Amino acid sequence: MHLTKEEEKLLCSENPTIRKSMEILVALGEIFDADKLIGVNSVQISGISYQNIGDAGLEWFEGLSGRFVVRAMINPAGLDLKRWKEMGIDEGFYRKQMRIVNALLKLGAELSLTCTPYYFDPPSLGDHIAWAESNAVVYANSILGARTNRESGISALAAGIIGKTPNYGLHLDENRKPSILVDVKAEIENEAMLSLLGYKIGEKITSEVPYFRFRKKLPEDWLKLLGASLAAKGNTALFHVENQTPEWDGFSINGLEKLEIDKAEIGVEGQCNPDLIALGCPHFSEKELEYLLKLIEDKGKVKKDFWVFTSRKLVEKRPDLVRKLEEHNIKVFSDTCMVVSPATENYECVMVNSGKALTYLPKLRKVDVRFGGMKECVEVAFS
Ligand code: F3S
């Protein structure tokens, strides 16, 4: 991989974080046969929950020095920074999580703590970025037409320190072309069906760039759930949707292998009796908060614990929505989620509308999961 004189100098920097970051980017570039480094507009760093990375990760973050040279955003942590006591989190965990967050802020990261960084100042079509959270990667590539590989937390951090990433994978036109046509014959009736579709086929099409054909145009919030499930079950980082996503007509689909999906293949998952309903994986958008309120506004207080996760920016932007939902006893948390927080382990069966949560909750939080759309979640909340 060609390095400029300035880039070579960074390999000998006196600052160990800069030196290590360059070494990581060069190693990646060589593995993937990149020709050069290219500038990125932003980075998004995952893997910051103390629950998942423990003391070793905390010490690693605290050992870093220097500054990010581009916009750097961070994924959800293990708790809501303000309302952690309401989540049942203990003080020792809070203190350790805050040390991780503060180490990242010292490097110049934004206090974003969300997996939906694309809702505020999103990247534009063709922008090169280095994002790590898998649903954010799929959304940025597919819905926005920005360009990012599925970075690890470490390689995204390195890209933020240097402001560059190796030029390979989805930064290149030729790797963005569809490789399989997924013809969805079933009428997609709600967000949960699409999320479950991603859950069902994610493994089957793991290394493909799918080109979806649906019966009608679908809301972007539903496509967000599809991308999150595909990425959780497989390696998907980009998909195209006919007549909808920005690059859908940029490539020929002649001769592509075809996968047909009918309703029976989408099916149902999980039937336990939930003691917690948890929505917002990925973090809720403004429209999703509004829709939930619409579903619930004529009803009284929910009869089961009911959590919604969203970004702190949205909580700040729409305190009215949060207040109204909380009047129904729904807790709207930010900075964290049901998968990366240990708080979920206090429950036995969690109801979700997300294929990603369905994938990870049993493995990471050791709980049973019931799956259903938002409407069904609301019905269950009053049963
Ligand atoms: Fe986001 Fe947590 Fe789901 S980080 S995508 S809400 S697992």
Side-chain angles (χ1 to χ4, degrees):
M1 182 170 72
H2 171 76
L3 294 181
T4 64
K5 290 239 154 44
E6 288 72 39
E7 288 163 355
E8 270 172 9
K9 270 192 216 151
L10 295 178
L11 276 174
C12 313
S13 170
E14 282 174 11
N15 177 308
T17 302
I18 296 177
R19 205 169 56 237
K20 194 40 97 188
S21 295
M22 258 319 269
E23 284 169 9
I24 289 168
L25 298 181
V26 169
L28 268 177
E30 279 170 1
I31 291 167
F32 290 103
D33 215 14
D35 57 344
K36 59 182 177 181
L37 294 176
I38 50 169
V40 290
N41 297 357
S42 65
V43 301
Q44 196 262 358
I45 299 155
S46 63
I48 72 149
S49 168
Y50 177 68
Q51 179 67 21
N52 294 346
I53 62 174
D55 286 330
L58 160 62
E59 279 158 28
W60 183 78
F61 276 117
E62 284 189 331
L64 301 172
S65 58
R67 294 288 289 177
F68 294 120
V69 297
V70 293
R71 183 180 186 201
M73 294 166 285
I74 51 178
N75 221 32
L79 42 70
D80 183 315
L81 264 51
K82 290 186 192 135
R83 302 177 63 180
W84 53 276
K85 284 187 183 158
E86 284 175 66
M87 299 183 77
I89 303 277
D90 69 67
E91 182 144 3
F93 183 93
Y94 168 74
R95 287 186 188 287
K96 294 208 165 170
Q97 182 64 73
M98 286 312 294
R99 282 172 58 190
I100 296 170
V101 170
N102 287 331
L104 282 154
L105 296 184
K106 212 167 123 204
L107 295 172
E110 283 177 21
L111 192 61
S112 53
L113 294 166
T114 184
C115 54
T116 54
Y118 37 80
Y119 287 141
F120 292 90
D121 303 321
S124 304
L125 181 67
D127 280 356
H128 294 280
I129 57 178
W131 288 10
E133 155 52 41
S134 64
N135 102 80
V137 166
V138 187
Y139 196 98
N141 277 316
S142 314
I143 316 286
L144 303 176
R147 297 183 171 214
T148 178
N149 289 315
R150 264 181 85 153
E151 302 291 345
S152 66
I154 291 174
S155 67
L157 189 139
I161 292 288
I162 304 298
K164 294 180 180 178
T165 193
N167 189 33
Y168 74 94
L170 294 177
H171 293 286
L172 303 172
D173 288 344
E174 65 260 31
N175 297 322
R176 300 181 70 83
K177 57 180 182 227
S179 56
I180 186 165
L181 168 61
V182 184
D183 194 358
V184 184
K185 303 278 187 201
E187 192 72 40
I188 300 296
E189 292 154 14
N190 56 38
E191 88 291 356
M193 256 183 98
L194 202 54
S195 193
L196 205 50
L197 168 66
Y199 178 87
K200 295 278 182 181
I201 66 169
E203 256 168 322
K204 212 183 284 182
I205 60 167
T206 181
S207 53
E208 308 282 358
V209 176
Y211 175 104
F212 285 99
R213 179 174 288 155
F214 294 112
R215 302 285 75 94
K216 61 176 188 208
K217 200 171 169 193
L218 299 173
E220 284 178 1
D221 283 331
W222 297 13
L223 295 178
K224 167 180 82 169
L225 283 158
L226 169 69
S229 299
L230 287 171
K233 291 296 280 187
N235 280 321
T236 304
L238 163 68
F239 63 76
H240 303 286
V241 178
E242 195 165 82
N243 292 317
Q244 191 161 355
T245 52
E247 295 168 88
W248 77 271
D249 58 351
F251 308 95
S252 164
I253 56 162
N254 286 342
L256 284 187
E257 183 197 339
K258 193 165 160 185
L259 180 65
E260 286 192 1
I261 307 285
D262 65 30
K263 195 167 179 177
E265 279 167 281
I266 299 175
V268 286
E269 285 294 324
Q271 284 306 321
C272 57
N273 183 20
D275 45 359
L276 171 69
I277 294 161
L279 301 177
C281 172
H283 277 175
F284 257 15
S285 68
E286 198 168 346
K287 279 191 186 145
E288 288 172 306
L289 282 178
E290 284 169 344
Y291 179 60
L292 178 60
L293 183 60
K294 206 169 132 206
L295 288 176
I296 215 157
E297 64 192 349
D298 297 335
K299 301 181 166 74
K301 292 185 187 302
V302 290
K303 293 184 184 158
K304 291 180 190 282
D305 284 4
F306 198 135
W307 292 352
V308 169
F309 296 94
T310 188
S311 66
R312 55 170 44 219
K313 274 200 177 164
L314 197 46
V315 168
E316 283 160 17
K317 185 181 170 200
R318 295 299 308 270
D320 56 318
L321 275 179
V322 173
R323 198 191 62 248
K324 283 181 192 157
L325 285 168
E326 299 230 341
E327 281 168 7
H328 294 275
N329 261 7
I330 291 177
K331 298 241 184 237
V332 182
F333 291 122
S334 60
D335 310 332
T336 186
C337 78
M338 68 289 258
V339 172
V340 298
S341 174
T344 315
E345 291 171 8
N346 296 327
Y347 294 88
E348 281 177 9
C349 168
V350 182
M351 184 165 190
V352 299
N353 72 338
S354 155
K356 178 163 180 178
L358 180 63
T359 308
Y360 288 126
L361 279 175
K363 281 187 218 156
L364 297 178
R365 299 285 76 85
K366 311 280 182 256
V367 291
D368 285 337
V369 184
R370 173 156 168 191
F371 187 86
M374 262 207 256
K375 263 191 191 159
E376 199 187 332
C377 287
V378 167
E379 276 161 26
V380 170
F382 287 98
S383 63

